C-alpha cells in the first residue's frame, strides 16, 4: 500500500504526540494512588476513612478515584513503571486523536490546532487519574459533536454516554465535567428547537440521556456524596491558595505560552473567519476559557473544546479565500517507498526517545523525591511519628506504609483547610513552629534542606540532625 504524503503527515503527528506524552513519573500524588490501588486489590475493600496518616487517622476519606487507582496498580503489577508510562502516553494520544477527528481541515490545519492544544496542556501530563478524566471528556465531546452534526444516524451512539458516566464517576470526580458538557449541548438543542421548527425527538433524546447520566452519579461506593464532592473541592480555600495546579497560569513562564496562543488564536479565528460559531461552541469556549484562566488545572478541558473550533474557523478562512493548494499529482511508487522509509526512521527515533524516558525513571525518582533519605530511615528502622514535606507524603506512603504513617500528603480534601494551615505553621518556621510538632508527638522531621523549618530545628538543642543530602534532611528528637 502506498503511503501518501497526507497519511505520512498524520502518522508523524500521532507518533510525535505519543513521544511527547511519554514522560517520567514525577507527580507527587502518583505514589499514594499506587498504594491505594494495591490496598484495594489486596484487601478487596475500598477505604472510606484515612488509613495513611497518623494525624487524621479515621477521618472521612471520599475515595472518588478508586477505580483509577485499581487500574494504575494493576498496570504496575503487570509491567511496572514502563507499562504505566506507555499506557498513559497512549491514553493522552487517544485523547488528542479524538480531538483531531472532530477537526476540519485534515490533516494540516487540524494538526496545527491539535498540536497547539497538546502543547497548552503539556504541563498537566502524567500518570494521574486526571488523564482518564481528560480522555472521557474527549470521548463525550466526540460523541456529542457527532450527534449534533447528524440528522438521525448517531442517536444510538448518544446512549453510550450513560454507561460511560457510570465508569467515569468511579474513576474520578471530574465526571462533573461530563454532566456540564451534556447540559450545554442540551441547552443548545433547546434554543435551536425554539428558533426552528424541527422534530422534538432529538431534544427528548438528549434530555433523557442527561437525566440518566445524573441518575448514574450515585452508582459508586460513595453514593450520593459524589453529587457534592466536586464542589467541595472547588471551594477549598487552602487548595486554591497553596496547591500549584489550582493557581492561575503564569504567562511569564514559557510552559503556559501555548495556552495563551491557543486562546488568542481561537478568538482571532472566530473574529476573521466570517463564519458564525454555534451557541454550544460559544458557551463551552467562554466557560472553560474562564476556568482555564482561573486555574491551570482546567486548561486541558479548554484545549479539547478550542482545538476543533480553531481548526473549523481557520479552515473556513482558507477555503473561502481560495487559498487551498491544488491537488497533488498521483503518488509514484518511488515516493510511496520514500514515505514508508521516512516514517520508519521517525518511529525508530521516537522509540529511542521513549526508551530513554523509561530508563530514566529511577534517576528521576531519586531526583524528585527523598529516595536516599527513605533508604536511611528504613535501614536504621526509624519509624517514629514523622513530620514530612507536603509533596513527599505520597512517596512516603508508597515506600513506608504501614510501618510509618505520614503527617500529611496530597489528599488535601482529607486534611481540610484548618489542618493544612496547622502544617504550614510548623513548615514556615515562625515563632510558634513547635506547637504542631508537639501536639502530634512528632519525633522525626523529613523535609527539604531549604525549608524555613530547618533553620529553627538547627538552633534547637532538642533536635539533632541525623541525615542530610542535597534532596532532604532528617532531624530527630
Amino acid at each position: 500500500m502506498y503511503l501518501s504524503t497526507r497519511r505520512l503527515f498524520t502518522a508523524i503527528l500521532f507518533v510525535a504526540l505519543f513521544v511527547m506524552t511519554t514522560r517520567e513519573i514525577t507527580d507527587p500524588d502518583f505514589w499514594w494512588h499506587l498504594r491505594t490501588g494495591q490496598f484495594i486489590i489486596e484487601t478487596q475493600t475500598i477505604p472510606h476513612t484515612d488509613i495513611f496518616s497518623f494525624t487524621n487517622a479515621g477521618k472521612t476519606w471520599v475515595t472518588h478515584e478508586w477505580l483509577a487507582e485499581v487500574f494504575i496498580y494493576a498496570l504496575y503489577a503487570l509491567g511496572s513503571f514502563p507499562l504505566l508510562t506507555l499506557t498513559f502516553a497512549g491514553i493522552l494520544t487517544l485523547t488528542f486523536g479524538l480531538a483531531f477527528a472532530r477537526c476540519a481541515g485534515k490533516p494540516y490545519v487540524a494538526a496545527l490546532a491539535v498540536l497547539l492544544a497538546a502543547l497548552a496542556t503539556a504541563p498537566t501530563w502524567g500518570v494521574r487519574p486526571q488523564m482518564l478524566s481528560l480522555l472521557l471528556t474527549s470521548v463525550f465531546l466526540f460523541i456529542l459533536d457527532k450527534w449534533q452534526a447528524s440528522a438521525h444516524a448517531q442517536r444510538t451512539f448518544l446512549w453510550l454516554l450513560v454507561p460511560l458516566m457510570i465508569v467515569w464517576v468511579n474513576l474520578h470526580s471530574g465526571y462533573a465535567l461530563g454532566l456540564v458538557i451534556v447540559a450545554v449541548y442540551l441547552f443548545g438543542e433547546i434554543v435551536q428547537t425554539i428558533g426552528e421548527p424541527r422534530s422534538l425527538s432529538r431534544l427528548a433524546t438528549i434530555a433523557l440521556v442527561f437525566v440518566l447520566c445524573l441518575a448514574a452519579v450515585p452508582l459508586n461506593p460513595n453514593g450520593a456524596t459524589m453529587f457534592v464532592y466536586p464542589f467541595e473541592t472547588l471551594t477549598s480555600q487552602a487548595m486554591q491558595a497553596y496547591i500549584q495546579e489550582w493557581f492561575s497560569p503564569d504567562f511569564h513562564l514559557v510552559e503556559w505560552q501555548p495556552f495563551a496562543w491557543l486562546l488568542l488564536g481561537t478568538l482571532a479565528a472566530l473574529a476573521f473567519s466570517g463564519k458564525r460559531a454555534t451557541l454550544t461552541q460559544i458557551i463551552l469556549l467562554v466557560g472553560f476559557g474562564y476556568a482555564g484562566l482561573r486555574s491551570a488545572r482546567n486548561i486541558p478541558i479548554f484545549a479539547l473544546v478550542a482545538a476543533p473550533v480553531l481548526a473549523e474557523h481557520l479552515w473556513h478562512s482558507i477555503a473561502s479565500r481560495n487559498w487551498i493548494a491544488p491537488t497533488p499529482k498521483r503518488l509514484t511508487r518511488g515516493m510511496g517507498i520514500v514515505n514508508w522509509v521516512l516514517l520508519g526512521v521517525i518511529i525508530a527515533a521516537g522509540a529511542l526517545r521513549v526508551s530513554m524516558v523509561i530508563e530514566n525513571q529511577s534517576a528521576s525518582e531519586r531526583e524528585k523525591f527523598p529516595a536516599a533519605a527513605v533508604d536511611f530511615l528504613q535501614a536504621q528502622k526509624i519509624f517514629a511519628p514523622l513530620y514530612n514535606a507536603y509533596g513527599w507524603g505520597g512517596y512516603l506512603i508508597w515506600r513506608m506504609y504501614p510501618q510509618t504513617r505520614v503527617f500529611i500528603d496530597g489528599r488535601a480534601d482529607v486534611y481540610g483547610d484548618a489542618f493544612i494551615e496547622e502544617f504550614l505553621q510548623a513548615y514556615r518556621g515562625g515563632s510558634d513552629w513547635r506547637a504542631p510538632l508537639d501536639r502530634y508527638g512528632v519525633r522525626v522531621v523529613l523535609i527539604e534542606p531549604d525549608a524555613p523549618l530547618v533553620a529553627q530545628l538547627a538552633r534547637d538543642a532538642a533536635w539533632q540532625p541525623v541525615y542530610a543530602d542535597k534532596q532532604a534532611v532528617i532531624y530527630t528528637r
Side-chain angles (χ1 to χ4, degrees):
M1 183 182 76
Y2 290 164
L3 182 64
S4 68
T5 302
R6 292 170 65 89
R7 288 177 176 171
L8 172 64
F9 184 87
T10 303
I12 291 173
L13 170 67
F14 285 100
V15 171
L17 284 172
F18 186 84
V19 173
M20 288 165 56
T21 54
T22 303
R23 295 185 170 188
E24 296 92 347
I25 298 171
T26 58
D27 178 37
D29 290 340
F30 163 77
W31 306 100
W32 65 260
H33 288 309
L34 187 60
R35 177 63 80 184
T36 303
Q38 180 186 30
F39 179 89
I40 293 171
I41 289 175
E42 291 180 351
T43 65
Q44 300 294 297
T45 59
I46 298 171
H48 293 284
T49 58
D50 179 32
I51 58 173
F52 293 139
S53 80
F54 69 92
T55 53
N56 283 264
K59 187 176 179 181
T60 298
W61 175 20
V62 179
T63 320
H64 66 101
E65 300 160 312
W66 75 272
L67 187 57
E69 289 157 347
V70 167
F71 176 66
I72 287 171
Y73 184 74
L75 289 174
Y76 176 80
L78 288 172
S80 193
F81 297 119
L83 183 58
L84 277 164
T85 300
L86 295 174
T87 299
F88 274 78
I91 287 169
L92 283 164
T93 303
L94 177 57
T95 298
F96 292 108
L98 290 169
F100 181 80
R102 292 165 51 221
C103 289
K106 296 183 185 68
Y108 305 114
V109 172
L112 173 64
V114 169
L115 186 60
L116 186 55
L119 292 172
T121 69
T124 68
W125 292 344
V127 179
R128 319 170 65 192
Q130 288 93 323
M131 301 302 99
L132 298 172
S133 222
L134 192 61
L135 172 60
L136 283 165
T137 299
S138 194
V139 171
F140 267 53
L141 289 167
F142 176 82
I143 291 174
L144 286 160
D145 272 3
K146 292 294 182 184
W147 171 82
Q148 191 177 62
S150 68
H152 181 77
Q154 301 295 335
R155 294 190 189 182
T156 302
F157 206 27
L158 192 66
W159 294 104
L160 289 174
L161 298 181
V162 180
L164 285 172
M165 180 57 70
I166 296 173
V167 174
W168 197 349
V169 78
N170 286 280
L171 283 172
H172 189 252
S173 62
Y175 81 87
L177 293 168
L179 292 177
V180 170
I181 290 168
V182 176
V184 171
Y185 278 81
L186 171 58
F187 180 74
E189 189 66 23
I190 291 172
V191 172
Q192 274 198 307
T193 303
I194 293 172
E196 305 173 11
R198 55 191 297 167
S199 170
L200 292 176
S201 62
R202 283 174 57 89
L203 178 58
T205 299
I206 190 170
L208 184 54
V209 167
F210 177 68
V211 170
L212 291 176
C213 284
L214 273 176
V217 172
L219 302 180
N220 69 88
N222 300 293
T225 300
M226 287 305 294
F227 276 120
V228 298
Y229 177 81
F231 303 100
E232 291 176 347
T233 302
L234 288 172
T235 55
S236 168
Q237 295 300 314
M239 291 176 70
Q240 302 289 334
Y242 302 123
I243 298 178
Q244 189 171 8
E245 69 176 352
W246 287 99
F247 296 173
S248 297
D250 182 353
F251 292 112
H252 292 93
L253 300 177
V254 173
E255 65 191 55
W256 299 119
Q257 287 299 305
F259 171 51
W261 303 335
L262 177 62
L263 181 62
L264 294 174
T266 303
L267 293 175
L270 284 166
F272 295 110
S273 73
K275 183 178 182 180
R276 187 174 179 179
T278 67
L279 177 63
T280 300
Q281 289 174 332
I282 292 171
I283 294 172
L284 290 174
L285 283 171
V286 171
F288 289 117
Y290 170 76
L293 289 169
R294 191 170 189 274
S295 171
R297 185 186 177 97
N298 299 317
I299 289 174
I301 312 302
F302 172 77
L304 292 178
V305 168
V309 177
L310 172 60
E312 177 187 346
H313 289 267
L314 187 57
W315 179 246
H316 181 79
S317 294
I318 293 171
S320 64
R321 292 167 174 79
N322 296 316
W323 291 343
I324 302 173
T327 303
K329 295 180 180 179
R330 191 171 183 272
L331 186 71
T332 65
R333 180 182 177 88
M335 280 304 300
I337 294 173
V338 169
N339 284 349
W340 275 113
V341 171
L342 180 58
L343 179 60
V345 170
I346 290 171
I347 290 174
L352 178 61
R353 169 60 182 163
V354 168
S355 66
M356 291 172 61
V357 170
I358 290 172
E359 290 173 3
N360 194 52
Q361 176 59 44
S362 179
S364 179
E365 177 185 335
R366 302 188 79 82
E367 178 184 349
K368 301 289 184 181
F369 302 99
V374 172
D375 292 342
F376 172 83
L377 290 172
Q378 291 177 328
Q380 299 298 317
K381 300 188 184 306
I382 300 175
F383 302 122
L386 175 145
Y387 177 94
N388 56 274
Y390 179 87
W392 292 349
Y395 184 72
L396 297 175
I397 288 171
W398 173 245
R399 290 287 307 274
M400 301 186 72
Y401 177 84
Q403 289 87 357
T404 295
R405 286 171 168 77
V406 297
F407 190 95
I408 195 171
D409 61 85
R411 297 169 301 145
D413 55 313
V414 173
Y415 295 99
D417 293 359
F419 181 82
I420 292 175
E421 291 291 347
E422 196 172 13
F423 161 78
L424 291 171
Q425 179 183 335
Y427 189 84
R428 290 168 175 156
S431 58
D432 54 354
W433 65 272
R434 294 183 183 85
L437 304 183
D438 293 339
R439 185 176 302 117
Y440 294 100
V442 170
R443 310 296 299 175
V444 182
V445 173
L446 169 60
I447 52 176
E448 306 93 333
D450 59 351
L453 176 58
V454 172
Q456 296 286 16
L457 294 172
R459 288 193 288 267
D460 193 316
W463 290 91
Q464 301 299 319
V466 297
Y467 178 88
D469 62 21
K470 66 177 183 180
Q471 190 73 14
V473 296
I474 299 175
Y475 279 78
T476 63
R477 64 173 175 179

